[in-house]
Amino acid sequence: MLRIAVQSKGRLYDETMALLEEAGIILNKSKRVLLLAAADFPVEVLFLRDDDIPQSVANGVADVGIVGENEYIEKGQEAKLIKRLGFSKCRLSLAIPKDSSYEGLSWFEGKTIATSYPNILKNYLKVNQVNASLHVISGSVEIAPGIGLADAIFDIVSSGSTLVSNQLKEVAIVMKSEALLIANQGLSDEKKAILDELLFRFAAIETAVGKKYVLLNAPENKLDEITELLPGMKSPTVTPLATKGWVSIQSVIDEKHFWEIIGKLKSIGAEGILAIPIEKMIL
């Protein structure tokens, strides 16, 4: 059994649970308990505070964990980075009152900065040779300047709306963050095998993102032109139709190029074009 530590609430929780479900790990989420076992895969999920996950994985309370990069770097625990997951993206930034004039990091010299990430901030200030005081707050960092606790803040920024609502402006991005899969350094061979299967499923989901499975009919004499537009994973699948001189072509294309390619296919003579979303794709 592989134990996965997961954030107990918030955006990272929602996106993590969606990923696990997509990977075939079904949990009874109606039961709000600390530990839940999957129905048909040797995995159990341990729900924790996000800042407890790195230590829990490092000391073996959990075998692996899905955690924000910000927490992983801040805690500095001896847990191994296994995979970047590409969701729950945000950034850690310095922000100051919106009416303040800002011309560079020297603004922070002698100032007090409120933050929940003192280790990351201390390192950043040291590298940039800025002397500032830190006021460590566990939550609601953005209100600190407004109530006189600090001159500025260092906190997570996603859309920036929270900064705007608190009369702040972002002036420096210190690091970017996303969800990470981390693991204990001493996993047994049995647990490594389960982790490998989990990674295989994650990869199949990731590969399918932004892809469309396309089926179309086309004149056989246009086949070369069409296959140049539809390379697929190796090459398109081509099947003769009952109508002489026509073929059915199947391939995979990137979502970002979908309309451009479809327009070209139509101009060449393709008909009956069908585009289907792909849930998983195994290479």
Side-chain angles (χ1 to χ4, degrees):
M1 182 74 75
L2 186 76
R3 179 176 292 175
I4 305 175
V6 168
Q7 186 173 313
S8 58
K9 60 182 179 179
R11 181 165 67 108
L12 182 55
Y13 164 83
D14 293 335
E15 294 181 328
T16 297
M17 298 307 287
L19 174 64
L20 293 177
E21 185 173 339
E22 191 75 8
I25 298 170
I26 309 303
L27 302 163
N28 184 356
K29 291 182 286 186
S30 63
K31 296 179 180 179
R32 294 299 293 171
V33 295
L34 182 65
L35 191 64
L36 276 179
D40 53 0
F41 192 74
V43 155
E44 59 184 4
V45 176
L46 176 65
F47 297 101
L48 298 173
R49 283 170 47 101
D50 57 349
D51 53 357
D52 289 334
I53 293 176
Q55 182 178 4
S56 297
V57 173
N59 64 24
V61 171
D63 301 308
V64 300
I66 296 178
V67 66
E69 187 173 0
N70 52 306
E71 292 295 346
Y72 178 67
I73 299 298
E74 174 65 23
K75 299 306 178 184
Q77 295 290 324
E78 293 295 322
K80 185 178 180 181
L81 172 58
I82 301 298
K83 182 177 176 59
R84 293 181 172 275
L85 297 173
F87 57 81
S88 290
K89 292 185 177 182
C90 61
R91 56 196 182 273
L92 284 174
S93 296
L94 286 160
I96 66 175
K98 71 172 188 178
D99 294 331
S100 298
S101 176
Y102 181 79
E103 296 180 356
L105 289 176
S106 60
W107 187 94
F108 294 97
E109 189 71 28
K111 300 289 200 305
T112 298
I113 307 171
T115 186
S116 299
Y117 301 94
N119 293 325
I120 295 174
L121 181 56
K122 282 177 186 176
N123 184 63
Y124 180 77
L125 294 175
K126 181 179 180 181
V127 168
N128 287 280
Q129 299 181 324
V130 175
N131 293 309
S133 300
L134 274 59
H135 186 92
V136 181
I137 301 176
S138 60
S140 300
V141 173
E142 65 278 354
I143 69 171
I147 60 176
L149 282 178
D151 302 298
I153 70 165
F154 175 63
D155 202 17
I156 290 175
V157 178
S158 294
S159 66
S161 59
T162 301
L163 295 181
V164 172
S165 63
N166 284 276
Q167 307 296 307
L168 299 172
K169 62 181 179 183
E170 184 179 11
V171 293
I173 296 174
V174 173
M175 68 168 282
K176 293 184 179 180
S177 176
E178 63 181 285
L180 305 177
L181 178 66
I182 61 174
N184 181 268
Q185 299 275 14
L187 290 184
S188 66
D189 289 343
E190 178 186 1
K191 290 182 177 181
K192 285 179 181 176
I194 299 170
L195 177 57
D196 286 344
E197 173 62 25
L198 188 63
L199 288 168
F200 169 77
R201 297 187 182 194
F202 285 175
I205 296 165
E206 184 180 12
T207 303
V209 172
K211 301 288 195 304
K212 292 284 189 184
Y213 188 70
V214 176
L215 301 91
L216 58 93
N217 298 330
E220 191 170 8
N221 61 5
K222 298 291 186 179
L223 184 56
D224 288 344
E225 293 179 65
I226 288 175
T227 53
E228 284 185 12
L229 292 172
L230 295 173
M233 290 175 282
K234 288 188 177 178
S235 64
T237 300
V238 180
T239 307
L241 293 179
T243 303
K244 188 175 180 179
W246 281 78
V247 293
S248 173
I249 302 173
Q250 303 168 44
S251 189
V252 175
I253 64 175
D254 287 325
E255 176 82 42
K256 61 184 177 181
H257 300 305
F258 178 78
W259 290 111
E260 175 190 351
I261 291 175
I262 292 301
K264 291 179 180 178
L265 291 172
K266 284 176 61 64
S267 67
I268 292 171
E271 298 179 357
I273 301 171
L274 179 64
I276 303 171
I278 301 174
E279 289 188 0
K280 284 93 176 171
M281 194 162 131
I282 299 165
L283 299 177

